[in-house]
Amino acid sequence: MDKRKQSKLDAHTEQLDEWFGEEELTLAAVRERLAQAGCWVSLARLSDWRINRDWERRREQLLNQIAAGARHCEQLEEQLGKNPPPELEILIKLHRVIILQLSAQMNSNPDAVRWVTTLMKPVMEKVREGSVGA
């Protein structure tokens, strides 16, 4: 539920995205273009709108990534339900694939590789204890 107050700038969202994004215009230049289109706004209000818009876009991107991750988990769990649990060798290969995929992503979070490795630690501890067979 979006509780954000409506803004007269909302009617110009697509154009503002283009001006700030592709054209990389300054706040002053965008304000001038808006004025030419009959929309007068202060630089402070335009700046606030831009900050909020960037936040909304990052939020949407994060939600999409979470949804994609959930779909991948469902697919993996479905496959594991149809097939016996993977042996240690398969888990290690899967770990390597995930590390390679994360490394290949242009905008990947450097901490993601560490997180994946941290998630693999309990498996490796079970191997050392001898409770998981290779």
Side-chain angles (χ1 to χ4, degrees):
M1 186 166 159
D2 188 12
K3 295 184 180 183
R4 186 178 67 83
K5 186 177 168 183
Q6 292 296 314
S7 167
K8 63 182 173 183
L9 294 174
D10 291 343
H12 303 276
T13 297
E14 190 174 319
Q15 186 65 65
L16 289 167
D17 284 344
E18 183 179 321
W19 289 339
F20 284 127
E22 294 172 21
E23 294 186 35
E24 298 179 357
L25 296 179
T26 65
L27 285 170
V30 169
R31 180 177 177 229
E32 178 63 32
R33 287 193 181 182
L34 284 168
Q36 290 171 359
C39 179
W40 290 270
V41 64
S42 70
L43 284 177
R45 179 64 198 114
L46 184 57
S47 177
D48 287 345
W49 185 91
R50 183 179 185 188
I51 289 167
N52 289 333
R53 177 69 174 153
D54 288 345
W55 183 86
E56 289 173 10
R57 291 167 81 178
R58 284 192 305 274
R59 178 181 167 268
E60 187 66 30
Q61 183 181 24
L62 177 61
L63 291 174
N64 288 339
Q65 289 172 341
I66 290 169
R71 286 190 300 275
H72 291 147
C73 286
E74 285 178 10
Q75 292 170 352
L76 180 61
E77 289 174 7
E78 180 182 331
Q79 290 302 313
L80 289 175
K82 294 178 183 176
N83 301 300
E87 296 290 329
L88 178 61
E89 183 179 339
I90 300 296
L91 290 174
I92 291 172
K93 287 179 181 178
L94 180 59
H95 179 253
R96 286 182 185 147
V97 167
I98 292 169
I99 297 294
L100 288 172
Q101 286 176 336
L102 287 172
S103 298
Q105 291 177 358
M106 297 283 288
N107 60 350
S108 68
N109 182 342
D111 291 329
V113 172
R114 284 188 289 267
W115 296 335
V116 171
T117 300
T118 299
L119 292 171
M120 190 67 172
K121 284 182 182 179
V123 173
M124 299 310 291
E125 287 173 8
K126 292 288 185 185
V127 169
R128 284 189 209 106
E129 294 172 5
S131 55
V132 175

